[in-house]
Amino acid sequence: MPAMTAVEAGARAGAGVPAEAVGPLVRGVGVLRRLAEAGGTLSPSALERATGLARSTVDRITATLARMGYVRLDGRDVVLTPGVLELGNAYLAALRLPALLGARADALADELDESVSLAVADRDGIRFIHQATRRRALSVSFRIGDLLPAERTAPGALFATEWTERDWARWRTRRAEDPRDTAFPAVPPRPEPAPAHDTTGTTDTAAAVEAAFADRVGAARRDGWAVDDQLIEPGLVAVSAPVRDPRTGRVACVASVVSHTSRHPAAELPAALLPRLRTAVAAMEADLRTAPPPEPGPAPAGLATWTTASKQELGRDFVESLARGLTVLTAFGEDRPALSLTNVARATGLPRATARRALLTHEYLGLVAAAPHEDRAFTLTPRVLDLGFPPLSRTTLPRLAEPHLRALADRVAEPAALAVLTADGTEIQYTAGAGTGGVLTVRIPVGARLPAAATSLGRVLLADTGTPAAPELAEARARGYALVDEELESGLRSVAVPVRDRTGRAVAAVNVATHAARRSLEDCVEHLLPALRATADDIQRDLHRASRFTKVPTT
C-alpha cells in the first residue's frame, strides 16, 4: 500500500488539522484514496489497516459512501462504483481541456498509430486528463487520473520550467521523504537508494537525481519540448510539447506521444514524431483561442438536501457531514469552474457555515484552491481525480453491467444477460450474464453468438439501426422492448430492452429469459419488463458517467 500523504498522516494523528476542518470528511476522502490505490476493491479489514481507522468508523464511512452510490458492498469487499466518477467528472468538466482538446489528441494517435496523452501539473507531479491508447499486446497502461512524479516524465520537465524556488523546495522535500516514489502507485518504485559515499567523492543518489532533472528542465526551456528516455521503466519512451493558455502564455497542459524502444528509440523521437506533435499542439492552442465560453446552464440548487432524509432513515450509520462535504465538489462544472462560498451554498442547499467548513477541509486536503483570477472564489484541483477515477477510467460495458445483472437475476429468479450486435448486424454476441440456481435454466456462455433476428436481444438492437424494419422490428421500436416466444428454442421465452449511450444510440441490450411453463407472456410484460427496464436504466446511468471523458468499450 502506498505511503500516506502528510495530510492523511496528520489527520490520523489528529495533528496539524485546521480547527474548522470536518474530521469525517478528511477520513472519508482517505478511504476513497485507499480504495483507488488498491485498484477499486478492498475488504473492510484491509481498509482498517490501510487507513488506521477503527473498524466501526470504516463501516460507517463505507455505509455512507454506499448510500451515495460511490461504493457497493460486494460480499466481504468494498468496491468503487461508477457513481464516484461524478467527482472526477466535475473537475474535468470545469477544466474544459479534455472536451476542447481530446479530439485533437485522438486524431494524432490515429495518424501516428501511437498512444497520445494530455497531462496537467499537480504540484510536483503530473496527472493525466486524457488518454488515446493504442490497443496492442504491448501497450501503455496509464489511466486518466494517474499521478506521476515530475522528474520521471517528459511533461514534468516542461512544467518545471515555470517552477518557483518554492516549488523546487517542495519537490526536494518530497524526494527526501519518498526517494523510491512509493506515493505514486501508477509507476514502478525506484530501486533502493544506494548509500552516499561523500568521503570517496561519489555523488549521492538524491544529488544525482536533482542534477539530472535540472539538466532536463534546462533543455526543455531551451528547446520547447522534452523527451522521456525510459525514465519510468525500460522500453518506455515519449516526446512532449506544451499547450499554452492563450490568456496567460503559461503551460495549460502537455501533449505527449508515447511509444516503446522497439518502435522508436528515444534518439529518433524528435525527428520521427515531434513535427506532427507540434502541428497538433498548434491546432490545440488555436482551439483554446477561439473556444466560445461554455453555455450557461441552469444553476444547480439543493444538491445536498437529500442527506437529511438519509440521516433520518439510517441514523448513526450515515455520516451526514461526509456526504455533504463530497457533494460540495459536484457543485462545480463546465459553466461553473470557479465558485464563491455563496454560490457553493446556493448550489448545495447547505448553510454558508457548513459549506465554508467543507471548502476549508477540501482546501486542506488539496482538492480545491483559491481561484487565480477571481477574488474569494474556489476551483477544483487535479487531486479530485484521486477519489476513485483511475481504476474506473478503463472499465468496459460488461464490467459496468455485471453487478446490475446479478441483482436483476436475484430479484426475478431468472437468468439475465447483456449482448451487442456483431459488426455485420446478423448476430448478437453475449458479453455478460448472471445465472440462477434453478435445475431448468438458460445457460448461454459469454462470447456465444446467436442469430439476431430470432432473439429478443437482437430485435431491440436491430430496431434501432434505422434499416428497413420488419414487422417485429417495427413493433419492438414502437414498444421499446422485444418479446420473443419460443422462436429460438422450444419453451424459451425472453424479453429485452436496449441500453443507450450518451447520444441515445442503442449500443447493447439486456434481457431476461425464462421457460414457457414458468411464466406466461403477460407475466413477462407485467413483472419481468419493469425490473428489466429499471436495470437498463441503472446500466445506462453508469455508462453515461463512465463515458463522459473516457471511451467505454462495449465488449
Side-chain angles (χ1 to χ4, degrees):
M1 187 67 63
M4 288 186 299
T5 65
V7 165
E8 291 168 339
R12 176 185 292 187
V17 182
E20 292 187 281
V22 183
L25 181 54
V26 174
R27 293 187 283 273
V29 166
V31 166
L32 286 176
R33 281 175 166 159
R34 296 289 86 82
L35 280 168
E37 290 163 355
T41 302
L42 280 177
S43 68
S45 57
L47 273 172
E48 183 182 0
R49 292 191 297 271
T51 61
L53 300 173
R55 176 58 182 270
S56 60
T57 302
V58 169
D59 289 344
R60 292 181 66 215
I61 288 173
T62 55
T64 303
L65 295 175
R67 182 71 167 197
M68 299 184 75
Y70 291 173
V71 305
R72 72 173 188 273
L73 307 179
D74 189 354
R76 297 183 177 181
D77 289 330
V78 180
V79 182
L80 288 173
T81 69
V84 79
L85 291 172
E86 71 177 4
L87 302 175
N89 283 344
Y91 164 73
L92 294 172
L95 184 67
R96 297 192 73 201
L97 293 178
L100 293 174
L101 308 182
R104 296 282 188 189
D106 295 343
L108 181 61
D110 290 340
E111 179 181 344
L112 298 177
D113 194 26
E114 299 286 359
S115 295
V116 173
S117 66
L118 300 177
V120 295
D122 189 348
R123 297 188 181 181
D124 58 349
I126 70 136
R127 197 178 292 270
F128 294 113
I129 58 168
H130 184 82
Q131 289 280 359
T133 305
R134 300 293 86 187
R135 300 187 73 174
R136 298 194 184 101
L138 189 62
S139 62
V140 179
S141 62
F142 290 130
R143 307 159 300 183
I144 294 176
D146 276 338
L147 177 68
L148 278 61
E151 68 276 12
R152 293 177 67 178
T153 68
L158 290 163
F159 287 122
T161 62
E162 298 179 342
W163 280 5
T164 65
E165 185 51 45
R166 182 179 179 183
D167 295 325
W168 280 101
R170 180 170 55 199
W171 175 79
R172 294 185 189 100
T173 299
R174 188 262 295 167
R175 287 279 309 130
E177 294 175 348
D178 184 23
R180 298 195 63 209
D181 297 332
T182 58
F184 298 87
V187 298
R190 290 179 182 270
E192 289 285 354
H197 299 289
D198 293 337
T199 57
T200 62
T202 304
T203 305
D204 67 64
T205 303
V209 169
E210 178 166 355
F213 185 42
D215 286 345
R216 290 196 300 110
V217 172
R221 184 179 291 110
R222 179 190 67 239
D223 300 332
W225 49 270
V227 167
D228 169 357
D229 185 3
Q230 308 177 79
L231 295 169
I232 293 173
E233 65 179 21
L236 184 64
V237 294
V239 60
S240 301
V243 180
R244 297 193 177 274
D245 186 327
R247 298 171 303 166
T248 65
R250 294 178 62 83
V251 180
C253 68
V254 170
S256 302
V257 181
V258 186
S259 188
H260 55 81
T261 52
S262 297
R263 292 175 60 83
H264 294 285
E268 296 179 3
L269 294 179
L273 302 178
L274 181 60
R276 186 61 192 89
L277 172 61
R278 280 180 152 168
T279 300
V281 163
M284 291 179 184
E285 292 178 338
D287 289 342
L288 293 182
R289 284 194 300 273
T290 59
E295 291 288 335
L303 293 174
T305 54
W306 64 274
T307 61
T308 300
S310 295
K311 182 64 175 178
Q312 292 173 347
E313 180 182 343
L314 299 181
R316 70 179 307 275
D317 288 335
F318 183 77
V319 187
E320 188 173 13
S321 58
L322 167 59
R324 286 177 162 184
L326 290 176
T327 302
V328 163
L329 299 177
T330 66
F332 295 82
E334 181 180 3
D335 59 335
R336 305 178 305 280
L339 291 175
S340 66
L341 170 59
T342 297
N343 287 333
V344 169
R346 183 180 298 121
T348 57
L350 296 174
R352 279 176 56 88
T354 302
R356 177 176 176 274
R357 290 191 64 199
L359 286 168
L360 289 175
T361 305
H362 287 315
E363 188 173 32
Y364 164 68
L365 293 171
L367 301 175
V368 304
H373 304 297
E374 299 187 38
D375 292 337
R376 293 178 292 181
F378 296 89
T379 61
L380 299 180
T381 76
R383 298 214 161 188
V384 174
L385 295 174
D386 270 342
L387 308 184
F389 208 94
L392 292 169
S393 67
R394 286 279 182 87
T395 192
T396 64
L397 181 55
R399 289 180 188 170
L400 294 176
E402 283 169 357
H404 299 296
L405 295 177
R406 291 199 303 269
L408 175 62
D410 290 344
R411 177 180 174 184
V412 301
E414 302 286 2
L418 181 82
V420 298
L421 275 178
T422 56
D424 62 7
T426 62
E427 294 180 310
I428 59 164
Q429 180 179 357
Y430 283 78
T431 58
T436 60
V439 176
L440 182 62
T441 188
V442 179
R443 290 188 177 90
I444 301 176
V446 170
R449 295 189 175 195
L450 294 175
T455 63
S456 61
L457 290 161
R459 286 184 184 174
V460 293
L461 291 171
L462 290 171
D464 196 67
T465 60
T467 55
E472 61 270 17
L473 299 185
E475 182 180 20
R477 179 181 297 170
R479 291 180 173 180
Y481 71 90
L483 178 62
V484 171
D485 182 25
E486 302 189 77
E487 294 184 37
L488 183 66
E489 183 176 322
S490 297
L492 179 62
R493 285 176 177 159
S494 68
V495 58
V497 297
V499 174
R500 301 185 182 279
D501 64 13
R502 293 178 63 87
T503 69
R505 182 174 63 96
V507 293
V510 60
N511 85 333
V512 172
T514 186
H515 190 272
R518 196 155 56 233
R519 293 184 184 268
S520 66
L521 293 176
E522 293 77 12
D523 190 34
C524 289
V525 174
E526 291 179 11
H527 296 100
L528 294 183
L529 183 58
L532 185 61
R533 280 178 163 158
T535 298
D537 288 343
D538 290 339
I539 295 171
Q540 284 179 172
R541 183 170 57 252
D542 284 351
L543 175 61
H544 296 174
R545 286 165 170 163
S547 61
R548 186 171 180 186
F549 294 103
T550 65
K551 294 181 180 179
V552 178
T554 57
T555 58

